[in-house]
Amino acid sequence: MWRDHLTEIIVFSVLFLLVSVMGFVAARWRAPKDMAHLDEWGLGGRSFGGWITWFLIGGDLYTAYTFVAVPALVFGAGAMGFFAVPYTIVIYPLVFLVLVRLWSVSHRHGFVTPADFVRSRFDSPVLALLVAVTGIVATMPYIALQLVGIEAVLKTMGVTGESALARHLPIIIAFAILAAYTYQSGLRAPALIAFVKDSLIYVVILVAVIWLPQKLGGWGSIFDAAEAKFQATAQNPNDGILLNANNQLQYVTLAFGSALALFLYPHSITGVLASRNRDVIKRNMSALPAYSLILGLIALLGYMAIASGVKPLPGTKEGTVDNNTVVPVLFDQQFPDWFAGVAYAAIGIGALVPAAIMSIAAANLFTRNIYKEYLKRDASPAQEANVSKITSLVVKVGAVACIVFLDPQFSIDLQLIGGVIILQTLPAVALGLYTRWFHRTGLIVGWVAGMGLGMWMLYQVASPTRKHFGGSAFPLSEFGFDTTKTIYVGIVAVAVNLAVAALVTLALRAAKVEEGVDGTEPDDYFADEGDPRITPGPDRDADPAREPVA
């Protein structure tokens, strides 16, 4: 009953309203030249320094879904849930140089999206369209999953109802407020709010990992309780506090595939392109692994929940439980109401920051690579900004619809599918920054092959509640291997994508098929702040020295 959680609700509401006010104030933060321009509205003027970028990218990547779903997976499956920790460590060395090159070429040519780069690099509007659509499709369920985090908190506080409208009304209100200040302030809103969000998360998690082990008898008791639970239930032989021979391949491929996918998501790239210069990106890629320390501590909350006897709240379907409520229930049981309210606010605000960035990134893709490319080629900067603002609203409405009309568990499965989908842009975006060896048609055919195989494999994956699209762990026995091992679908799909792209490229080269004109130059990939060939910000389009985007 919500009256039993009145203190938590008050603390949560006050902090939520505080960041909402910050979101509206952000429109005047850092003196924007002209908000009616994608450089200002969608990329914050491309002017964010080290600290702002640190909090923005951190707030972008470590979402509310992470804070509830990672410990929930550890609670339910054990060691497999820790895949998120190595992949968020591996990713930064992998993208250290890649993102610097993307920033430079985007800085010089005025690219706002990865599809802008692909359009110019390979002289292919079709390939750019595929990259844009892929980014939008992969991002939509990711936004919806931020609502899962907020819903878990609201459910724990008793702020729910019996009907669908009553159950989802608080989320609808929260996203309406988010939509309003994102429409007005653009990327500046989540950038400013990220300071509050990350600070709250750090405080809550550090207090939890110091306080809870003392209450629960120490780390030894916590791990003993977790091991006893998995030995007693034995619902899945792969569940446990250690990996085994059957799930090690899935663990490795899922971690590596997730690492490759993370900075292909358009919202990740948006945070990078908003940086002021190359050094800001280098420093952040070196320092962001510090977030992985917190992520590891967050994952351990799953074992703490086991040791404290947490029972997840009922799910939306009769007879099911909602494991996403594990962490909120843990805080509700083990901490004073006022601190639990702070923790709930950290999770709720942790949903708003990435949701705002994701909706902006998806809107930019639609505006630059669909609206301007196919509907209005002569769109002015002000028209682009206006279309992006409206599209960001539509994207948020779509995310809310996913939660209202679909089973939330299905949305979670969609996120796993999203990782497989976005990986198919790796050859064109990530490898395209280093080489133009692949033929544009080869990349298109490779995308079709990888996407087709990936969807087929995902269709074969079953779960206890669904015959198809039940996850991303593909049984190798389906390929004829005599084994019970599974592998991450995304790794297999992108490998086929690359192989097909290479073979088609060789065939087209032999046939001497025309490859188009590369709209970039070698020195574009090393441009930095103050480059004489561009004028940053809204004045960019009036600069005669700027080379037109192909």
Side-chain angles (χ1 to χ4, degrees):
M1 191 68 180
W2 68 268
R3 291 184 181 86
D4 298 329
H5 302 274
L6 189 59
T7 301
E8 298 168 0
I9 293 171
I10 292 173
V11 173
F12 176 88
S13 301
V14 168
L15 290 173
F16 189 90
L17 291 174
L18 171 65
V19 299
S20 298
V21 172
M22 292 175 64
F24 287 106
V25 170
R28 293 180 172 82
W29 180 47
R30 299 178 62 83
K33 294 180 181 179
D34 181 7
M35 287 298 286
H37 196 291
L38 277 188
D39 270 10
E40 290 291 348
W41 184 85
L43 292 178
R46 302 180 188 255
S47 62
F48 293 158
W51 280 108
I52 299 175
T53 302
W54 158 273
F55 284 104
L56 179 65
I57 296 180
D60 188 11
L61 302 182
Y62 300 88
T63 69
Y65 175 64
T66 302
F67 301 136
V68 297
V70 170
L73 183 56
V74 171
F75 177 88
M80 195 66 195
F82 283 92
F83 84 94
V85 178
Y87 104 67
T88 56
I89 296 172
V90 169
I91 181 58
Y92 299 110
L94 286 176
V95 302
F96 184 92
L97 296 177
V98 175
L99 293 178
V100 171
R101 291 175 69 88
L102 178 60
W103 182 92
S104 290
V105 70
S106 299
H107 179 69
R108 176 166 284 182
H109 287 266
F111 299 149
V112 175
T113 70
D116 282 349
F117 162 71
V118 170
R119 171 70 171 87
S120 181
R121 178 68 152 161
F122 295 99
D123 193 16
S124 175
V126 175
L127 183 59
L129 177 64
L130 291 178
V131 171
V133 172
T134 302
I136 294 171
V137 171
T139 301
M140 282 295 296
Y142 219 148
I143 302 173
L145 286 175
Q146 305 315 308
L147 297 174
V148 173
I150 299 180
E151 193 169 56
V153 166
L154 296 175
K155 186 184 294 186
T156 305
M157 292 191 296
V159 188
T160 55
E162 295 299 325
S163 67
L165 178 61
R167 186 168 65 251
H168 296 296
L169 184 60
I171 292 178
I172 295 173
I173 294 172
F175 255 55
I177 296 172
L178 169 68
Y181 65 66
T182 303
Y183 184 92
Q184 175 176 314
S185 305
L187 193 65
R188 282 175 167 79
L192 186 59
I193 295 171
F195 284 94
V196 177
K197 173 253 184 185
D198 288 357
S199 298
L200 286 175
I201 289 293
Y202 269 89
V203 169
V204 168
I205 298 305
L206 290 176
V207 170
V209 298
I210 293 173
W211 174 254
L212 289 177
Q214 296 182 31
K215 290 192 66 176
L216 299 174
W219 288 106
S221 298
I222 291 172
F223 282 103
D224 288 343
E227 185 172 19
K229 176 208 170 184
F230 292 121
Q231 288 179 347
T233 55
Q235 294 179 353
N236 187 330
N238 292 332
D239 294 348
I241 64 172
L242 295 175
L243 297 173
N244 58 48
N246 285 330
N247 60 13
Q248 288 174 353
L249 178 63
Q250 171 67 17
Y251 183 92
V252 171
T253 54
L254 179 57
F256 184 62
S258 298
L260 292 178
L262 188 59
F263 275 95
L264 290 172
Y265 278 104
H267 59 276
S268 303
I269 292 176
T270 295
V272 170
L273 296 186
S275 302
R276 184 173 59 223
N277 55 42
R278 290 163 60 96
D279 284 343
V280 168
I281 299 171
K282 291 177 182 178
R283 289 195 300 269
N284 271 274
M285 292 304 107
S286 299
L288 277 168
Y291 273 97
S292 299
L293 171 63
I294 293 295
L295 181 58
L297 299 177
I298 290 171
L300 288 171
L301 292 175
Y303 287 157
M304 295 181 204
I306 294 174
S308 65
V310 165
K311 302 296 183 184
L313 296 178
T316 53
K317 292 183 178 180
E318 187 176 352
T320 64
V321 295
D322 184 1
N323 277 348
N324 288 318
T325 60
V326 164
V327 170
V329 171
L330 174 66
F331 283 118
D332 182 52
Q333 293 180 355
Q334 298 294 331
F335 286 103
D337 289 349
W338 69 268
F339 188 81
V342 172
Y344 296 161
I347 296 173
I349 297 169
L352 299 183
V353 172
I357 304 171
M358 291 171 190
S359 64
I360 290 170
N364 289 346
L365 281 168
F366 174 82
T367 300
R368 290 296 291 258
N369 308 115
I370 297 177
Y371 173 76
K372 186 169 184 176
E373 181 73 43
Y374 294 97
L375 302 177
K376 190 173 179 60
R377 284 185 171 272
D378 60 346
S380 68
Q383 289 173 323
E384 286 184 6
N386 192 50
V387 170
S388 270
K389 289 179 180 180
I390 295 172
T391 305
S392 73
L393 298 179
V394 174
V395 169
K396 293 183 185 71
V397 171
V400 172
C402 287
I403 293 298
V404 173
F405 297 110
L406 296 179
D407 177 6
Q409 183 59 46
F410 183 59
S411 297
I412 294 171
D413 293 333
L414 281 178
Q415 195 274 334
L416 297 175
I417 296 171
V420 176
I421 291 173
I422 201 65
L423 264 176
Q424 306 317 309
T425 64
L426 184 144
V429 178
L431 298 186
L433 288 165
Y434 280 91
T435 178
R436 201 175 179 270
W437 181 83
F438 289 102
H439 194 285
R440 55 187 179 180
T441 304
L443 289 170
I444 293 171
V445 177
W447 181 94
V448 172
M451 195 68 72
L453 177 64
M455 291 300 101
W456 175 82
M457 293 174 68
L458 290 167
Y459 182 80
Q460 306 303 316
V461 178
S463 73
T465 59
R466 192 170 298 104
K467 292 182 179 180
H468 306 290
F469 297 106
S472 60
F474 185 80
L476 289 176
S477 58
E478 293 287 337
F479 283 144
F481 293 99
D482 185 17
T483 180
T484 58
K485 294 180 179 179
T486 59
I487 191 170
Y488 177 53
V489 171
I491 286 291
V492 179
V494 77
V496 170
N497 183 340
L498 286 166
V500 171
L503 290 174
V504 173
T505 295
L506 291 173
L508 294 174
R509 286 261 170 79
K512 297 182 179 180
V513 176
E514 197 267 330
E515 299 185 34
V517 178
D518 186 355
T520 69
E521 300 290 340
D523 67 335
D524 290 345
Y525 299 90
F526 302 94
D528 205 349
E529 183 183 19
D531 188 288
R533 295 177 61 185
I534 63 98
T535 300
D539 299 327
R540 179 191 304 275
D541 296 279
D543 179 22
R546 178 201 170 207
E547 292 184 352
V549 177

